[in-house]
Amino acid sequence: LTLSDDSMIQFCKAGLDAMLGEGVDYLFCNQEEAQVWCGTDDLETVRQSLRKLAKMVYMTRGPEGSEILTTEHSWHIPAEKVRAIDTNGAGDMFAGAFLYAITRGYAPNLAAALGNQAAATVVSQHGNRLTLGQLSAIKAYALPPLK
């Protein structure tokens, strides 16, 4: 599940809450969406609240990278330094790249690293689509061969 957008949270929180139910496997959000959902800017409070919603939470933080949160652990996955031109689609690109890697057997931190790299590439250009060449280069850079 993704928290999707600040306006979705503001206008559809009851529906999102119903979808969350007793929790989900994966929850994707960016920092701003997480803060709106939790009603606070305090990141530690946000992290503690999000941990209760899913087995694994992936919070993207723009130039700060992303965080993986579970009930027991948290990991910070650094971002590539890029000049952001158009951030439209960055969260979807992160989630798609993450899901690509996780369904192929990569560990969550490597899947998040691929997500960061794919999102960094997409925000560095106008438009939210990547070419097959860009995708191949991202995979080669961010994912080691599986054994």
Side-chain angles (χ1 to χ4, degrees):
L1 182 68
T2 178
L3 292 184
S4 187
D5 180 79
D6 296 352
S7 62
M8 289 294 292
I9 296 167
Q10 292 169 349
F11 300 113
C12 303
K13 188 168 184 179
L16 287 168
D17 227 358
M19 285 185 241
L20 282 166
E22 297 293 316
V24 295
D25 290 335
Y26 301 113
L27 178 66
F28 296 94
C29 60
N30 65 35
Q31 181 176 325
E32 186 176 344
E33 293 161 353
Q35 290 169 323
V36 170
W37 181 268
C38 297
T40 181
D41 289 339
D42 180 64
L43 274 179
E44 196 48 45
T45 301
V46 167
R47 288 179 185 108
Q48 292 307 318
S49 295
L50 292 177
R51 283 183 163 106
K52 299 172 187 171
L53 301 177
K55 292 177 184 172
M56 287 195 157
V57 176
Y58 292 86
M59 179 171 58
T60 57
R61 299 187 58 217
E64 299 298 318
S66 60
E67 295 184 24
I68 303 170
L69 307 169
T70 69
T71 54
E72 294 92 25
H73 302 296
S74 64
W75 297 268
H76 175 257
I77 312 301
E80 293 288 324
K81 292 192 186 281
V82 297
R83 184 173 152 261
I85 295 171
D86 180 0
T87 60
N88 186 37
D92 292 335
M93 183 60 70
F94 175 90
F98 166 84
L99 291 168
Y100 169 86
I102 206 79
T103 58
R104 280 158 180 76
Y106 285 94
N109 62 317
L110 291 175
L114 181 69
N116 283 358
Q117 187 62 39
T121 303
V122 84
V123 302
S124 300
Q125 64 183 25
H126 290 286
N128 57 8
R129 300 216 184 248
L130 299 178
T131 66
L132 291 176
Q134 287 173 305
L135 293 169
S136 293
I138 292 165
K139 287 191 299 187
Y141 175 77
L143 292 179
L146 285 173
K147 295 177 180 167

